[in-house]
Structures are given as structure tokens and as C-alpha cells.
């Protein structure tokens, strides 16, 4: 059981380049999330999805787009990378749906550097 | 002021010591999560609680909803407990978590 898998694990981009981060989960979870983690700050929510075909903005959505065409996959896109987007990106998933929520299962992270 | 505050930010301990990490929050919540992030970066969910106390092995998590405070205790600490411990709360009425900045724990032999 793989859980939550993120690809790639590391990437270096030049300013202005675009790329897509892939998150895949095999637990049949409804909810999926993309976070970024920066030094001295807590994890911050970029975008999330409460089911196939749905997406919603989180706390820091600017400069990112997402898609959830299949239930098991949640893609995070950077259209024109900026140095401020240098960060570690985490994907997570959960069953969701209840008022109290469910534990979130995290991927191992993607370390992204923008030069 | 952050909506989720953890203390201390850094903690060192000798193997075998009893560890307490605190989390205070300022919003109405439906649940509180404790997470562990290892030096390699992976994040694991330890507990999710909305009242009372939960125990798993040497880890104990408590929450006081009235005081908006939670504690994570580690009994008989071990070097393998060295990690960053993160508190996160689910704001009532939303599907989103708000995260603290974490407590870095180092346990020395």
C-alpha cells in the first residue's frame, strides 16, 4: 500500500519556467490538499479538493493552479515560477466529510528551488 | 498573533526524560491534530482528538477545549523520538487545518 506518492522529489527551475507536481493516493480518499512549508512558518494550504472534479483556494493560492480530473490524482501547477515559490511542497489526503475531519496522510514532500 | 501557538520552539532532552510539548489556539475548533515530521521530511499523523485524552505507546495527547490548549507528552524519551512535532487545528465549519510552526525535539543518549 503506497499511501500518498509525490513526484518529483526534487526539482530546480529557472524563473519563468513552468512545471507540474503530481500527487497520487491509493486509499480512495475524497479530500486532497497541497501545502507549502517554509522555514519558521507552519504548513500553509495552497489549494485543496473535496472530490473528483472540484478544487478550492487555500491560504496562499496565488501563482498556482490545480486540477483533480481523477479521484486518485491531484496536480499542482506553477505557470511561471518565481524565486518566492522556492519551498518544500507537501500533498496530503483524507477521507474528510465529517465535522471533525479525518487524519491527513502526507506524501514525502517535493523540494523545489527556483533560481 | 498566530492562531496556533506552540511551545517551546526547541527542546533538548536526555534519553529517558518525560517530554511535554504545548499547543494553544485562539479559534473555535472541531478537532486538533498532532503530527510528527522526521529529519528526512516525512510527516506522520500521530493523533486526532476533539476531547479528553488519547494514548499510543509512549505518546499521550490531551486537550482542554475550554482552555483552548493541548499537550503532547512523551514518556521514557528515546533518541528516535527526535523530530519536529506539529500541532494543527481544524477550524469549526471548515475543511482546512491551521498549523503551528512546530517544536523541534532532540533527545540525546
Amino acid at each position: 500500500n503506497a499511501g500518498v506518492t509525490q513526484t518529483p522529489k526534487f526539482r530546480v527551475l529557472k524563473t519563468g519556467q513552468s512545471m507540474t507536481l503530481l500527487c497520487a493516493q491509493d486509499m480512495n480518499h475524497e479530500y486532497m490538499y497541497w501545502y507549502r512549508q517554509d522555514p519558521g512558518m507552519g504548513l500553509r494550504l495552497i489549494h485543496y479538493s473535496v472530490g473528483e472534479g472540484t478544487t478550492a483556494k487555500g491560504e496562499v493560492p496565488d501563482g498556482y493552479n490545480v486540477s483533480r480530473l481523477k479521484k486518485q490524482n491531484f496536480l499542482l501547477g506553477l505557470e511561471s515560477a518565481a524565486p518566492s515559490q522556492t519551498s518544500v511542497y507537501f500533498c496530503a489526503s483524507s477521507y474528510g466529510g465529517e465535522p471533525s475531519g479525518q487524519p491527513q496522510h502526507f506524501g514525502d514532500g517535493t523540494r523545489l528551488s527556483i533560481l | 498573533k498566530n492562531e496556533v501557538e506552540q511551545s517551546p520552539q526547541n527542546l533538548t532532552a536526555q534519553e529517558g526524560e518525560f517530554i511535554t510539548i504545548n499547543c494553544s489556539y485562539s479559534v473555535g475548533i472541531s478537532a486538533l491534530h498532532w503530527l510528527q515530521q522526521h529529519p528526512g521530511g516525512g510527516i506522520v499523523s500521530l493523533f486526532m482528538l476533539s476531547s479528553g485524552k488519547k494514548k499510543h505507546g509512549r505518546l499521550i495527547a490531551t486537550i482542554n477545549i475550554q482552555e483552548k490548549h493541548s499537550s503532547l507528552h512523551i514518556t521514557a524519551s528515546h533518541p528516535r523520538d527526535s523530530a519536529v512535532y506539529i500541532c494543527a487545528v481544524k477550524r469549526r465549519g471548515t475543511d482546512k487545518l491551521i498549523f503551528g510552526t512546530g517544536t523541534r525535539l532532540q533527545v540525546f543518549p
Side-chain angles (χ1 to χ4, degrees), chain A residues 31 33 35 37 40-43 45 48 90 99-104 106, chain B residues 30-31 33 35 37 41-43 45 48 86 90 95-97 99-101:
Chain A
Y31 286 42
Y33 311 82
Y35 298 97
Q37 186 177 43
M41 303 182 75
L43 286 155
L45 183 64
Y48 67 106
F90 285 95
S100 61
Q102 293 285 335
Q104 293 188 11
F106 286 81
Chain B
S30 55
H33 297 246
L35 308 163
Q37 185 170 25
I43 299 174
S45 179
M48 187 185 79
I86 301 169
K90 186 169 186 287
D95 295 311
K96 293 174 267 190
L97 292 179
F99 292 81
T101 55

Side-chain angles (χ1 to χ4, degrees), chain A residues 76-94:
Chain A
L76 177 70
L78 284 71
E79 296 170 337
S80 179
S84 61
Q85 294 177 305
T86 293
S87 189
V88 181
Y89 291 85
F90 285 95
C91 176
S93 70
S94 71

Side-chain angles (χ1 to χ4, degrees), chain B residues 46-57:
Chain B
L46 297 174
F47 295 104
M48 187 185 79
L49 62 165
S50 53
S51 65
K53 175 179 171 178
K54 286 191 176 181
K55 184 175 188 294
H56 185 260

